[in-house]
């Protein structure tokens, strides 16, 4: 039997949304190293192009190209789809990586109290538009690209979808009800898609990253110097049995495993935590 951990995605087209960001750029690079052509989609076209240039300059076996794409607009996704099809052919593997939280959907306090300072942005002050933004970015931003790309994945050997959930999908984190709910919806949708496409050979799984330092959460974890942990950052480390933040590189192995037909052909509908034990720990 071939060693399932030598991944070979030669000839595959992998489409990744949010690919200009911290986690998905690393995943894209590894798919290219394993032979796939990678299409990097991002609202920030410059970021996607920069990652593509770096991958192409690295001597990776597969080619990379950046595409402007807003995962919330079908027309934008369709335009990216058409360009990718012309450049690389139909999509084999879709990684729905675009997502995140927004300060407008984040409360200041962990617990409601009767005597909160007046300037506290509490649960009662959350902006409905902010909550809607977060739900749309994560949930619709996964559903719409799937509608556009999965059509041509049906019947393609080894086709599969990887969604990006989070720790807070298992147990919600304080302060961020919208992001927690939206990622819970992603886990649920992952199972839904796995079942829905099970007769047509398209598997669907998700990764649930633990705590990494990224652009979108650095100010929640660290003081302005970006070195001193805030109490929330300290709490996260205390509740991560392995006692540290994760690295973006550590998301790669589990993702390639799930995407690899040789390694994971019967794995369908799972949400794989990559979290240093956070979701296994009760804190006691
Ligand atoms: P990041 O902010 O570095 O990257 C996110 C990327 O998505 C950015 O390049 C951004 O431009 C892009 N994006 C935002 N809105 C978009 C839109 N409408 N259309 C297309 N692209 C858009 O974040 P990251 O940490 O790399 O996060 C990647 C995924 O991992 C997200 O789904 C995030 O929710 C999830 N996640 C992150 C962590 C963490 O600790 N960093 C933990 C769990 C889950």
């Amino acid at each position: 039997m071939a060693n399932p951990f030598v991944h070979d995605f030669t000839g595959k087209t992998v489409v990744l949304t949010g690919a200009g960001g911290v986690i998905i750029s690393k995943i894209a690079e590894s798919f290219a190293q394993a032979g796939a052509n990678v299409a990097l989609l991002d609202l920030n076209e410059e970021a996607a192009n920069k990652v593509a240039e770096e991958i192409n300059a690295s001597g990776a076996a597969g080619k990379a190209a950046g595409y402007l794409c807003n995962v919330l607009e079908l027309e934008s996704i369709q335009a990216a789809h058409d360009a990718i099809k012309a450049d690389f052919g139909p999509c084999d593997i879709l990684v729905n990586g675009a997502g995140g939280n927004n300060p407008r959907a984040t409360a200041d306090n962990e617990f409601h109290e009767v005597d909160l300072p007046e300037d506290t942005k509490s649960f009662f002050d959350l902006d409905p538009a902010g909550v809607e933004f977060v739900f749309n970015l994560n949930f619709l931003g996964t559903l719409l690209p799937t509608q556009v790309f999965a059509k041509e994945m049906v019947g393609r050997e080894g086709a599969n979808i990887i969604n990006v959930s989070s720790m807070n999908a298992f147990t919600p984190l304080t302060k961020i009800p919208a992001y927690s709910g939206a990622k819970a919806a992603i886990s649920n949708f992952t199972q839904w898609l796995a079942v829905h496409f099970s007769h047509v050979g398209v598997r669907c799984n998700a990764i649930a990253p633990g705590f990494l330092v990224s652009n979108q959460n650095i100010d929640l974890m660290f003081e302005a110097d970006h070195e001193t942990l805030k109490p929330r950052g300290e709490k996260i480390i205390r509740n991560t049995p392995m006692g540290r933040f994760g690295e973006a590189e550590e998301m790669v192995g589990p993702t390639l495993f799930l995407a690899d037909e040789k390694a994971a052909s019967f794995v369908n509908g799972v949400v794989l935590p990559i979290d240093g034990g956070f979701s296994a720990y009760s804190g006691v």
Side-chain angles (χ1 to χ4, degrees):
M1 186 185 157
N3 178 353
F5 296 105
V6 177
H7 299 291
D8 183 3
F9 292 100
T10 305
K12 302 281 186 196
T13 300
V14 181
V15 175
L16 307 102
T17 70
V22 174
I23 295 177
I24 309 300
S25 59
K26 287 281 172 243
I27 292 173
E29 185 187 348
S30 297
F31 270 117
Q33 282 165 355
N37 290 327
V38 292
L40 313 174
L41 277 55
D42 207 295
L43 191 54
N44 182 345
E45 189 179 15
E46 208 184 319
N49 285 338
K50 186 164 175 278
V51 176
E53 275 166 29
E54 284 165 6
I55 293 174
N56 288 328
S58 74
K63 288 196 173 61
Y67 302 85
L68 171 66
C69 175
N70 182 349
V71 294
L72 297 176
E73 288 176 10
L74 269 175
E75 273 180 20
S76 168
I77 307 166
Q78 193 62 50
H81 165 275
D82 296 350
I84 294 164
K85 198 162 180 180
D87 292 345
F88 293 137
C91 173
D92 294 288
I93 296 167
L94 171 65
V95 179
N96 283 310
N101 190 29
N102 186 279
R104 288 181 298 157
T106 302
D108 288 342
N109 54 320
E110 293 194 340
F111 303 100
H112 195 61
E113 311 286 356
V114 285
D115 53 356
L116 285 175
E118 272 214 353
D119 59 349
T120 307
K121 186 174 77 171
S122 80
F123 165 71
F124 299 104
D125 304 313
L126 293 183
D127 175 359
V131 172
E132 191 177 18
F133 174 87
V134 172
F135 263 87
N136 284 349
L137 174 58
N138 291 280
F139 186 70
L140 262 189
T142 295
L143 186 143
L144 298 181
T146 304
Q147 282 184 317
V148 172
F149 286 100
K151 241 182 224 166
E152 67 197 11
M153 292 164 71
V154 167
R156 287 183 73 75
E157 203 187 327
N160 70 91
I161 300 162
I162 309 282
N163 292 333
V164 181
S165 184
S166 167
M167 276 310 94
N168 58 36
F170 302 106
T171 307
L173 299 184
T174 57
K175 298 187 179 182
I176 51 172
Y179 186 54
S180 298
K183 287 300 191 187
I186 294 295
S187 293
N188 187 281
F189 185 50
T190 299
Q191 294 176 312
W192 190 90
L193 282 173
V195 172
H196 190 66
F197 287 140
S198 58
H199 292 188
V200 293
V202 180
R203 293 180 302 113
C204 182
N205 294 292
I207 57 167
F211 295 88
L212 279 84
V213 180
S214 70
N215 309 337
Q216 55 184 276
N217 65 17
I218 192 159
D219 293 321
L220 283 173
M221 316 255 230
F222 288 91
E223 302 291 355
D225 64 6
H226 287 177
E227 281 183 11
T228 316
L229 281 171
K230 280 184 172 174
R232 192 171 177 86
E234 281 173 3
K235 210 169 186 180
I236 287 165
I237 297 294
R238 251 199 328 277
N239 283 281
T240 302
M242 290 178 72
R244 62 173 175 85
F245 292 112
E247 298 293 335
E249 287 80 359
E250 293 179 299
M251 307 302 124
V252 167
T255 305
L256 296 196
F257 157 70
L258 290 172
D260 191 333
E261 194 59 11
K262 292 190 302 300
S265 55
F266 205 45
V267 182
N268 200 14
V270 307
V271 180
L272 181 56
I274 315 170
D275 65 347
F278 182 91
S279 60
Y281 186 42
S282 73
V284 178

